Amino acid sequence: AAAAAGPDLAAMQARAEKLDAERAETRARVAAWKAQQAARSRQEEEQEQHTRVMQERTTAASEATRRATIKAQVAQYRTAKASEESTHERAGKHESEPTAAAPVRAADLAARRAADAARLEQRRIAAERVAQEDREREERMAALRATVRVHATRDPARLLAPTASTRNREADESPTGGRVDADPPRLAVPAWRRGI
């Protein structure tokens, strides 16, 4: 029995050692997997950080470009405005000085004023014509109203008197009383009520 117990004991020890080796191998694999996952996680975080930094730099650069563009546009507007004002000042000085072009402008101005005055006169004449037509129409209507006088006397008894069509209907001796029955009765008369 002791000899039989020895091989069993040795087999059990071998099995226990094998299980311990498998457990140690599994622990080593799990530790390696965890280390790999941690390394991958660190790498992804670094990549995201790098992407975020690059995006912020790009945004800052585009914002700086936009500001520079706006600044250039403002400067260009200011210079254009200043040159326009100086041109107006020079033109104002030239207008105050008598030149050969000034009489031409005055003649052109006089022609425009004459054309405007003619246009205003035409409008005034057209408005007067319309007003005259309205007055004539009102006079004709007043004359017509004066010739046609309606003198209706109040007759309270007329309100309750039958009309001519009602009198004609009452005079008619037909069963419908002179009316056309637009909606004749559609119900059949029961047999027990016929002839009653």
Side-chain angles (χ1 to χ4, degrees):
D8 280 340
L9 185 62
M12 285 174 44
Q13 281 180 347
R15 219 177 297 134
E17 288 174 5
K18 186 178 177 185
L19 281 174
D20 287 340
E22 286 178 1
R23 283 187 193 134
E25 187 180 329
T26 303
R27 276 191 221 111
R29 277 199 310 254
V30 167
W33 180 82
K34 284 182 179 179
Q36 185 182 9
Q37 291 299 323
R40 184 179 297 149
S41 170
R42 271 195 313 274
Q43 187 179 5
E44 287 176 0
E45 285 178 12
E46 289 173 0
Q47 184 68 28
E48 287 176 7
Q49 180 73 15
H50 178 70
T51 305
R52 200 173 322 125
V53 167
M54 292 303 289
Q55 192 172 16
E56 287 173 359
R57 285 181 186 167
T58 306
T59 305
S62 65
E63 183 67 22
T65 305
R66 187 183 70 81
R67 285 183 182 159
T69 304
I70 290 173
K71 196 172 186 179
Q73 287 175 348
V74 168
Q76 183 181 3
Y77 174 77
R78 283 183 180 158
T79 56
K81 186 78 170 174
S83 67
E84 185 179 327
E85 286 176 0
S86 65
T87 305
H88 280 302
E89 286 176 11
R90 278 182 273 159
K93 287 178 184 176
H94 288 296
E95 285 179 5
S96 62
E97 300 171 358
T99 61
V104 174
R105 281 193 227 139
D108 187 32
L109 186 60
R112 287 183 182 175
R113 284 183 182 156
D116 288 345
R119 249 184 264 119
L120 285 173
E121 184 64 22
Q122 288 175 354
R123 286 182 187 165
R124 187 186 60 77
I125 291 170
E128 284 180 2
R129 188 179 329 120
V130 169
Q132 180 64 28
E133 289 173 358
D134 287 344
R135 282 193 298 272
E136 289 173 0
R137 188 178 318 117
E138 282 300 318
E139 289 171 4
R140 284 195 309 267
M141 292 301 290
L144 284 173
R145 285 189 204 108
T147 58
V148 180
R149 290 275 186 212
V150 178
H151 298 288
T153 58
R154 292 185 181 274
D155 187 6
R158 227 182 61 209
L159 290 174
L160 301 176
T163 62
S165 62
T166 306
R167 284 194 297 272
N168 289 340
R169 240 184 287 122
E170 288 172 352
D172 194 355
E173 298 295 326
S174 66
T176 59
R179 287 181 315 187
V180 175
D181 205 358
D183 192 19
R186 292 182 181 83
L187 295 177
V189 179
W192 61 272
R193 267 184 48 195
R194 286 192 193 131
I196 295 179

